Amino acid sequence: MTTRTPESVDPLTLAVIQAALQQVCNEMDLAFSRSAFSPVIAEADDRSSGIYDRHTGALISQGELGLPVFVGTMQYSTAELIRLIGEGNAGAPEPGDIYIVNDPYLGGTHLMDVRFAMPFYYDGELFCWLQNTGHWPDVGGMVPGGFSAHATEVEQEGLRLPPVKLFKRGEMDREIYAILCSNMRVSEQRIGDIKAQAAALYVGERRLRDLIDRYGLDTITRAIGEIRERAATLMRAHIAEIPDGTYTSEAFVDSDGVVNEPLKIALTVTKADGKLHFDFSNSSPPCQGPMNSVVATTYSSVYLAVRHIFPDIPLNSGAFEPLVIERPEGTFLDARYPRPVSGCAAEVSQRIAESVFLALVQAIPDKVTAAPAGSSGNFALGGFDPAKGSGYVMYQISGGGYGGNADHDGLSNGCSTIGISRTPPVEVMEQYFPVLFHRFALREGSGGAGLHRGGFGVHYEVEVLRGEARASFVMDHGRFGPPGVLGGADGGPNVVKVHRNGTVMIPEHLSKDQGIPMQAGDRVEVMTPGGGGYGDPLLRDVAAVRNDFRMGYYTTDEIRQRFGVAIRADGTVDETETARLRGQAGPASRMTA
């Protein structure tokens, strides 16, 4: 328990300030989405905002509307910016400056996640840093959208930016802007996202200044320290509930996009001395293709996985203090220049989180789910629209099923494990781009069977209407479906099909390919993974199984094979046959259908 001292902020004021700091971040996120040009930001909310310590870059607060995967990476990148400024390798900050950076090795993710960082001054003194990240649809590289499945070095993925001042004393540097536009597709659209990203920081600047004006600099400073300490204390309390011991797991990436072999994430979690220790040292070595993960993303993946398990932990650096992560040197989870990394944030991060779930479900099964879909479903389509006389880059993300848990079935068509992003409405995509969606529906049958089944993925099909284009995919869970736990079955794996000239092509790497030529009439079909099942499927309540059948989630054959329940032609349950299939009378006695 936190002990109050005479210098402590009273609990009510502390709670108000904590909520207010989060609200500053939320308003930055909302301003960013509402004014951005690109659908991936404006509709899908692929962005995040935060407040960071002026000395260390440590996270002070992040909004609940921002992507969780950025919780660690933006902290890391702020620390790197401060280091570079101190070394004289980045310009010293002045009021009105905004730095731009997307270098993955400086605390980034993939190159398309572009960070803006602004020093916040109060009464002429640097108080903290404000930062946001937005996913730009294109930053150059081998393929439209930047998701190059076959890249072997980071230069092939796009323009890499060290921290430079895009805005100097409030004015945008037109020369740097010209360099940006000369190195990316559909560059004339980027000014809308740039101004939106800067405007979001200005909103945060005003709101934070109002908050300090209201409570005073001393009170806000003390409150930030206490909030951090309380987050660490709460995390330690949760960790105390985990039995001491060592828990191991393995998760697999389909391939690196170049070598068609799976990559292994081998995790050992040790609970000891009130802390959780994470060791990934036995994971696969660095890979040739773009599925390497920079260390900032690896750390952040652990943070977000633990927060999935303990969602009441406040988002600040104190929550990370009891989590000890050994740097996974010599593995593909610690990418060094010039390793390609376009798949690290959207895909590898989710396999890392999955490994955390699979390890800790052994220790605290009542708090951890079976594996979720674990893929952002990155699909990029770039080409020329003759009707508009201009080029375009369409970037699509898609949901999938979450794993079942001790209390209920998994969520269907949930966002990726790492974020809150959602699929843009098909009507918006059809308005912006020369495409037509023939299907967008739940993927029946994809949820892994269990006492509590996994949620369902989605099944969509999109046609190119005009001109020529190129399609690229960086997805995952195509080789292996999301694992079930405690006797539950795996969820359905990811499926990609390209329909061209009456033929159907499945990528060699199943979930990864790039630069596939597309013409008018060609279609891309994607079936995203379902979540893993939790617990023995033969113990699932028969009424729940029958309801799944009524909803069309499973066929009669799937119901019989996966859950041991016999459904007659009229939709009723054959209780005698069900009891035989389940090998016991117990389940039949619970039949209410």
Side-chain angles (χ1 to χ4, degrees), residues 484-538:
V485 299
L486 306 179
D490 296 352
N494 194 79
V495 177
V496 177
K497 298 179 181 180
V498 180
H499 301 261
R500 296 187 301 169
N501 299 321
T503 64
V504 179
M505 186 272 285
I506 295 176
E508 177 187 356
H509 290 249
L510 301 176
S511 60
K512 299 170 181 67
D513 209 338
Q514 72 173 50
I516 302 172
M518 305 284 289
Q519 296 182 348
D522 293 344
R523 292 172 289 121
V524 170
E525 182 180 8
V526 177
M527 289 174 270
T528 70
Y534 182 101
D536 186 350
L538 298 183

Side-chain angles (χ1 to χ4, degrees), residues 266-284:
L267 171 62
T268 298
V269 180
T270 302
K271 156 65 189 311
D273 303 323
K275 296 182 178 181
L276 287 179
H277 300 259
F278 299 84
D279 181 3
F280 293 96
S281 60
N282 291 321
S283 300
S284 295

